[in-house]
Amino acid sequence: MSEKLIPDLEMQFQLYDVLEADKLCQFEKFEEHSKDTFSAMLGTAEKIATDLFLPHNHIADKDEPTFDGQKVSMIPEVKMAYDAFCEAGFIAGRYSFEDGGMQLPEVLMTAASAYFMAANPSSTAYPFLTAAAANVINHFASSELKETFMPRMLSGEFTGTMALTEPHAGSSLADITTTATKHEDGKYRLKGSKLYISGGEHELSSNIVHLVLAKIPGGPAGVKGISLFVVPKFRLDDKGEILNRNDVQLAGLIHKLGYRGTTSTALTFGENDDCHGYLVGEEHHGLRYMFMMMNEARIGVGFGAAMIGYRGYQYSLAYAKERTQGRSAEHSDPSKPSPIVLHGDVKRMLLAQKAYTEGGMALCLYGSHLIDRINVCEDKEEKESLQELLDLLTPVFKAWPSEFGPKANDLGIQVLGGSGYTREYYAEQFWRDNRLNPIHEGTNGIQALDLSFRKLWQKNGLGLKILQREIEKDLATMSGPKTGKLVKEFLPYLQKLHDILTHVAGTLQNDKQATLLANAQALMSVFSQIVVTWIWLRQSHVAEQKLAGDNVTEQETAFYEGKLKAAAYFVSWELPTIERDIKILKQDNDVCSTMQADWF
């Protein structure tokens, strides 16, 4: 089977045909770059991912990290891949030249990550977590903390983690009990425990920088009393040299369904009352700071889910083209078995995978490009508007691909049939790895609540107004016969969304508000399916334009026709499924909200 992680046509189409990302080079921030430098960077990412990350993906799944009570051990290939990633400068890729980075657009960094996530999500987690942690330090920490930790994190010498979850609290951060007490030396001493800390212990780097949420005694109750601390595995002396072990202990490794190559850890802080931590920013503002990392991670989680799903799609597609079984109606030689790709139900499953994964990929690349649009925007009012659009869509960027990516992998298993259920083939690992994504960085249920009760309404619905503006601007250009037909099918659903949002706004003001707590997933479904339909119409429109151009090769024709068919599939097969959710919301259905615990 082909080991090409992402076809060149797909990447070129998403970046340059749909998003026109090369036009970012017209702005001062990115004027040192060109389409050629972008392509060179992506070529490097593809080579490292293919040569060093892909070969050990299945090996690391079978031979996961171990802890002997003293240290964590893992297969050596992980370290080789990590070092190559760091040496190529990818951790610092989005940072300025002055900070030692490549000053690349966010959308290009996301595109580069596609190769690594498709090749080996477990090994990719270490540098990605480090980049996100460094970004928080860069934005909110003191100049002293930045100088101490940032350069060594951006080079990969130090890695980073996000330590939020506690055994008793889960996603309810208001209930964390880890404390941070200020001492005379100006440092804080932390005490508590954290769970499910990805990359919390390993030997890939000389130090691990934990970003830890804790409460300072005497502070406000709940989330208003949370502060953020830099807690290194090893303390540093005044010259920045490693001094001795901080009081951070590994309580044990957590053994997972998937993502087995990434250490997931239970950590204790201050077991010996000597865990030194350094306050980031101001006391009691930690959750606001950490949300930068969490929101960045949420787009990354969604994109990762799309790419694991895409890898499974490509894998099952290659299998379907090679595997022969039975006779299809269109097969010309009845004496020979047909490739199963010709069977109608296999086509259905492959089309669904294509629609889910290429839709998720395009959705998250749009989100990353939106960040770039914000970064280069000089109009204050427009910048605020685009930021509200980003905030509104962030729950969708996380939740939609992480719901439909695993569904694509499930269909991939089905395409392989009995082979898909065996460890000899990789389809089952793709599903296991992807099943984490609806859970971490805020479960999909939490994303639905965030959308339903906050993001839709903040700033008097400014994000919704900008979304409407963006959609209407795109639809006005879609005059091609095939895409135009899809637009006509789409328009009634836009009106239904408007009607439902008007109804929900009323529900939030009356005694039926409790029903929305149970039905938030229905609202997320309606909203996100409409957003992704728009994303598919954007792809369909560009593909139709390309087909109408001159000198289109046979390969390009097949690619663009595939885009048109996937868009048609999404509009005719997937979009209508939200009718159930629309009905539930319109009726303020209380079946779930009125269920009693002792009735289960």
Side-chain angles (χ1 to χ4, degrees), residues 292-348:
M292 165 172 275
M293 185 175 184
M294 291 167 69
N295 285 333
E296 182 179 326
R298 282 170 179 170
I299 297 178
V301 166
F303 191 66
M307 296 318 304
I308 298 171
Y310 187 76
R311 176 86 175 103
Y313 160 56
Q314 293 285 356
Y315 188 82
S316 64
L317 174 61
Y319 180 90
K321 289 179 176 180
E322 295 173 2
R323 169 69 168 167
T324 58
Q325 184 174 301
R327 309 300 190 271
S328 70
E330 61 194 84
H331 200 269
S332 59
D333 188 350
S335 67
K336 295 181 181 178
S338 305
I340 65 171
V341 72
L342 299 179
H343 292 300
D345 196 52
V346 174
K347 289 182 182 180
R348 175 190 65 82

Side-chain angles (χ1 to χ4, degrees), residues 58 74 85 153 157 256 275 316 327 476 497 555 600:
H58 199 51
M74 61 180 68
F85 188 102
M153 294 175 76
E157 180 188 351
K256 310 184 297 295
C275 178
S316 64
R327 309 300 190 271
L497 175 62
Q555 182 187 18
F600 283 103

Side-chain angles (χ1 to χ4, degrees), residues 15-16 19-30 33 38 41 93-95 103-111 299 364-379 382-383 386-387 390 397:
L15 282 179
Y16 304 127
L19 294 172
E20 299 181 325
D22 49 323
K23 289 186 177 180
L24 289 169
C25 300
Q26 298 172 4
F27 295 92
E28 182 180 359
K29 183 178 177 67
F30 304 119
H33 290 292
F38 291 165
M41 182 274 290
R94 59 175 55 82
Y95 286 84
Q103 205 159 309
L104 284 163
E106 191 70 28
V107 69
L108 265 295
M109 291 304 300
T110 300
I299 297 178
C364 294
L365 286 171
Y366 174 86
S368 297
H369 188 250
L370 186 54
I371 294 173
D372 290 319
R373 289 171 63 189
I374 293 168
N375 287 339
V376 300
C377 184
E378 295 181 353
D379 183 285
E382 176 67 3
K383 194 181 189 80
L386 292 175
Q387 184 63 54
L390 178 64
F397 295 147

Side-chain angles (χ1 to χ4, degrees), residues 195-200 250 252-256 259 262-266:
L195 190 64
Y196 302 131
I197 310 307
S198 296
L250 175 63
L253 294 179
I254 297 162
H255 301 285
K256 310 184 297 295
Y259 255 90
T262 307
T263 55
S264 183
T265 61

Side-chain angles (χ1 to χ4, degrees), residues 493 496 526 574-584:
Y493 287 96
K496 290 179 182 182
V526 173
E574 298 295 332
L575 182 58
T577 63
I578 65 176
E579 291 288 2
R580 180 205 67 179
D581 298 302
I582 290 172
K583 182 179 177 182
I584 285 171

Side-chain angles (χ1 to χ4, degrees), residues 34-64:
S34 66
K35 190 174 179 180
D36 288 340
T37 64
F38 291 165
S39 296
M41 182 274 290
L42 292 173
T44 300
E46 181 180 27
K47 180 171 176 54
I48 294 173
T50 302
D51 293 349
L52 294 175
F53 280 74
L54 180 63
H56 74 269
N57 184 38
H58 199 51
I59 299 170
D61 180 70
K62 292 190 293 185
D63 189 8
E64 60 186 293

